[in-house]
Structures are given as structure tokens and as C-alpha cells.
Amino acid sequence: MKLLTHNMLTSKCLKGVNVGYPLGILAKDVKVSEVDFNPEFVSRIIPKLDWNVLWNAADSIGHSGELPKAVISDYENNQEFLKKAHHVLMEVEVINGELICPESGRKFPISDGIPNMLLNEDEV
Amino acid sequence: MARVKLRVLEEYLQELDVFENPKISLEQYVTQPHIASHLLHVAQTTFSDVEGCSVADLGCGCGALTLGSAVLGAAYTVGFEIDPDAVKVFRKNAKKLGLSGQWSSTSHKRMGSEKNETVSPPEDENLDNSDENSEETSDDDSILLESEGEDCSLLTESAVDVVLCDVTSSEGLGSTNSRWYKSFDTVVMNPPFGTKNNHGADMAFLKSALRIARCAVYSLHKTSTRNYVLTKGREWGGKGTTAEVLAKLRFDLPKSYKFHNKKNVDVEVDFVRFDVSHVKEMECNFSNMSLNKR
């Protein structure tokens, strides 16, 4: 699970949960691997992100690295910034662990890189 | 332009494994490599909707459309699937095509030796499922990569994720309040047809697809329900949505379920493209001016 994907996931589907965001991460295994850098794509995705959530997620698994705490202005033209964002968004992956609903504490397993957001019938 | 020829893409997809035991309740059937490759190739060559784009595949199953999108250079691809068994096959397929990162058990693409785990040392306690698949056999990993020569690196550095969830949930992808709302450029999918005990599933998939797509949705629907599908699609996509049947296909569904008594089941299927790029949304406004209605 990439941190870009984590930035989008919520547990709002759970009965009784209002926001369900951001999900906490309890990481057992984290893997970093190279992904093609596409500055144009990264610039386009940044407005869709909750940057604080991204930074905290990265920090909580020990990979905030050089990621600035806030989006800089004129980021579209700053290759260095986009590269750092790209690294955290696309190259850092949680392989095994858990996502945790901030309201209910419900845990969602991440197994071999795939978050399992499936709910039991009585949770919907 | 597509960076991979249609024929090559089809060959790639032919290497993929398929459902071991298709589930009737989910109307699982495989998107034939021939159809998947054509669908994606049209999306890229005619509309430039794949390369450099973010692409979602709803009901990704064994991954033909997800992995095919990655082969064509999608910047970020997410497959959404409800069935953990299908996801196991997906994982095998991703490995087979040489995807790196979480999809390979080694840090770089390589054939053979499976034991070079590069993940940080696991702790003693086991999480649910966490070790269930780690020992999956992978004798077949090496098939494609060697024979494809220079193409073998096409997929290694693609960004592909899979999420296990119910895509039809109205609180999830189908919601306008979802974080996924308008977050993908393109959706490609081969949804269930919504027959059997699955009535309406096709439409629920379509609704979610139109919510999360910013530009286009490519989907396959039974020709017999064409008017309904196009009308609903335009309604759910919002004002400015256009829908076009790009091709009429004949699905030669192989006898995948026991209750099929004929050898093959022929179904007429529309390949539809919904264009939501004209739909009013803050960031899309400027593009409205330069594009005329087709």
C-alpha cells in the first residue's frame, strides 16, 4: 500500500463512523522501491492530497525523510520538491501491518501490501 | 500513440492466470486478453486516457485491465476488488509481469531465487493473514520476462496498488463525499452484468466509476440494456457527461459455471466510453472552452 493510497482511504463505511479519517498506520514491514518519476502527475495529484495526513503517515512509519511539512508555493516548477513528494507518495509501501479507524478503533489488516477494507455484514 | 503495440499488450495479458473457481455470486468471468488489450489500446491511442494518467479498475479480479494499464504507462493504477481469492491471483500475475515493490519478493525484478526478502525484519507476533501468502509457489514467475527481451522492464517501476473493498458501497466510492471523488483521470472496468442474483450490480459499479473519474470511464455492458445504461450514465456523471458506444462485441463466455449447459454462452456487449471531462468542476473549467462537443 502506497502512502498515496493511504491518503485516500477512510473507514467511513463503518456503521456509526462519521469521518473515519485519517486511518492510523501500524506498520510491521515497510518497503521502499523505485517508481518512475512523473513530475506532471505528482503536480496534478498534490491538490487532491491532505498534506498533513501524508506527512504524519510518513512520519509514523519512519519515512518522512526530507518531506517538507507543508506544500510550498510554486511546487509545479520545483523538481526537487516534486521528487520528495513522489518518493513518499509512490515509493514507500506498507507491506504488512494494520490500518486503524480513528473513531472506532476497528483494525483493517494490510497483508502483502494489500489493505483489506472489507466489512462484516453487521458493521455496515 | 501507445508505447506498446496492441499485439504485444495482448501477448502480455495472455500470460496472466485466471480465476481458479469463478464465483457465481460475484459473476466472475475473465476479461479475455483480446478484449482487455483492445479496450485499453483504444483508450490510449484514440483518447490518451492511460499513459501518464491515474487509472482505477473497479472489480479488478485477476488484474487484466489494471496490469494492462500499467503496461501502457499509467502513472498510478489502483485495482479495487471484493474477493480475496481473486486478489491472490492478481498478486501472482503482478509478479509474473515483473512489477517491483510490494509485488515482488525481491527488491528488483529477477528470476529464480525467491528468498532475498528486503523488507525490514518482521516481529515475532503474526498479524491476521500476514503469513498466509508469503510462501506461495512461484515457479511460473520467470516465463514471460526472458522472452520479451527489452520489454521486460516495462512494468518494474509502475505504481500499482490493490484495495480490498466493496466498490458498490454508497458510503465509499459511490459517494460524492468520498476522498476518492474525482481522484482518478480514468476508470477502466469490466463490471458484472448484473444478472443472476446480482441484479443491479452493473449499475452500482457504473455509478461509483462516474463518481471517482475526472475524465473518462470505459466499461462493458450488455447491449440489451444499452439505453438504460447510457441514460443513467449521463445522469450520474453530471451535466455535460457524454456517452458513446465505441464498439459492439460478442462475448463468447466459455462455460465457466457448472449450470451452463451449453458449451459457450454468447452475449452481446457494448464497449462504452463516458466522458465526464466537461462536467463542471473547479479544476476542469478551463478545459471546457477548448473542447467542442463531438
Side-chain angles (χ1 to χ4, degrees):
Chain A
M1 182 197 68
K2 298 176 188 305
L3 293 185
L4 170 51
T5 304
H6 169 263
N7 209 267
M8 298 295 172
L9 289 175
T10 71
S11 52
K12 198 171 169 252
C13 296
L14 279 169
K15 191 162 62 182
V17 167
N18 292 321
V19 183
Y21 187 81
L23 298 171
I25 305 178
L26 202 158
K28 290 285 177 193
D29 306 330
V30 175
K31 191 168 180 176
V32 178
S33 52
E34 210 169 301
V35 169
D36 289 329
F37 176 48
N38 182 333
E40 193 263 341
F41 173 73
V42 179
S43 319
R44 264 190 316 127
I45 203 75
I46 284 177
K48 290 274 167 202
L49 300 172
D50 185 319
W51 193 266
N52 270 331
V53 169
L54 177 68
W55 195 91
N56 287 328
D59 193 48
S60 74
I61 61 173
H63 280 270
S64 55
E66 296 168 38
L67 190 72
K69 279 201 169 181
V71 181
I72 61 169
S73 59
D74 199 29
Y75 59 81
E76 297 96 328
N77 303 313
N78 189 326
Q79 290 284 311
E80 205 184 320
F81 176 84
L82 293 176
K83 262 197 180 139
K84 287 173 188 166
H86 163 79
H87 172 71
V88 172
L89 286 168
M90 314 287 267
E91 299 190 320
V92 177
E93 291 177 315
V94 181
I95 306 296
N96 291 301
E98 284 169 344
L99 293 172
I100 302 150
C101 168
E103 289 166 53
S104 66
R106 160 71 145 96
K107 290 175 177 166
F108 300 91
I110 303 168
S111 174
D112 285 336
I114 298 176
N116 183 343
M117 307 304 292
L118 295 173
L119 303 176
N120 301 321
E121 269 171 38
D122 59 352
E123 292 178 306
V124 187
Chain B
M1 273 292 288
R3 63 182 202 165
V4 177
K5 287 196 181 120
L6 178 59
R7 183 186 56 78
V8 176
L9 178 63
E10 188 171 344
E11 279 170 12
Y12 258 91
L13 299 183
Q14 274 163 353
E15 296 294 325
L16 302 183
D17 285 347
V18 299
F19 297 109
E20 280 164 21
N21 300 299
K23 290 173 185 158
I24 298 172
S25 60
L26 299 173
E27 274 192 273
Q28 287 177 336
Y29 57 93
V30 166
T31 312
Q32 296 300 325
H34 182 69
I35 288 171
S37 57
H38 276 77
L39 185 156
L40 294 171
H41 217 259
V42 166
Q44 175 53 32
T45 52
T46 311
F47 301 99
S48 301
D49 279 333
V50 182
E51 191 172 332
C53 296
S54 52
V55 178
D57 177 2
L58 303 190
C60 64
C62 306
L65 291 172
T66 316
L67 297 169
S69 301
V71 170
L72 288 183
Y76 171 63
T77 316
V78 183
F80 296 88
E81 175 57 49
I82 199 169
D83 177 23
D85 291 332
V87 164
K88 280 183 196 165
V89 183
F90 185 109
R91 181 178 294 118
K92 244 181 170 175
N93 285 334
K95 256 180 157 183
K96 219 181 214 183
L97 292 195
L99 266 184
S100 66
Q102 68 182 60
W103 304 106
S104 79
S105 40
T106 55
S107 58
H108 298 287
K109 74 174 158 99
R110 48 182 301 179
M111 298 117 209
S113 113
E114 282 294 307
K115 286 291 154 202
N116 296 352
E117 296 280 347
T118 55
V119 293
S120 57
E123 320 225 331
D124 287 336
E125 47 196 309
N126 277 325
L127 298 163
D128 343 357
N129 308 330
S130 67
D131 50 357
E132 196 180 304
N133 304 310
S134 55
E135 289 301 317
E136 259 182 27
T137 52
S138 41
D139 310 333
D140 40 14
D141 284 357
S142 54
I143 302 172
L144 187 77
L145 305 179
E146 284 167 322
S147 62
E148 287 293 330
E150 71 216 79
D151 291 330
C152 75
S153 62
L154 268 178
L155 262 185
T156 48
E157 291 170 8
S158 303
V160 176
D161 248 340
V162 167
V163 176
L164 268 167
C165 69
D166 179 0
V167 306
T168 65
S169 158
S170 56
E171 285 294 317
L173 298 184
S175 160
T176 48
N177 294 321
S178 157
R179 294 257 323 142
W180 295 107
Y181 181 67
K182 300 275 176 211
S183 69
F184 290 96
D185 298 312
T186 307
V187 175
V188 293
M189 63 176 184
N190 180 8
F193 286 135
T195 46
K196 315 245 164 42
N197 304 322
N198 223 358
H199 191 67
D202 54 337
M203 300 313 284
F205 269 66
L206 181 59
K207 193 173 194 173
S208 292
L210 289 162
R211 293 273 192 264
I212 65 173
R214 193 158 48 196
C215 297
V217 172
Y218 295 83
S219 187
L220 298 166
H221 295 274
K222 278 177 120 163
T223 305
S224 58
T225 58
R226 179 184 294 178
N227 284 341
Y228 184 65
V229 168
L230 299 188
T231 307
K232 279 299 189 188
R234 288 192 198 102
E235 181 190 319
W236 288 330
K239 203 161 179 258
T241 305
T242 57
E244 185 185 358
V245 177
L246 297 179
K248 195 160 117 180
L249 318 166
R250 196 166 207 101
F251 260 41
D252 188 24
L253 293 183
K255 182 183 171 182
S256 17
Y257 303 124
K258 289 203 181 81
F259 66 81
H260 284 161
N261 41 20
K262 278 188 257 164
K263 204 169 172 193
N264 289 300
V265 190
D266 249 2
V267 189
E268 284 189 329
V269 176
D270 284 343
F271 170 27
V272 192
R273 179 178 190 269
F274 298 90
D275 188 325
V276 291
S277 61
H278 301 234
V279 176
K280 281 250 186 290
E281 208 219 347
M282 268 188 314
E283 357 173 336
C284 285
N285 279 349
F286 67 94
S287 66
N288 287 344
M289 296 175 222
S290 56
L291 292 164
N292 293 318
K293 231 177 163 180
R294 260 201 307 276

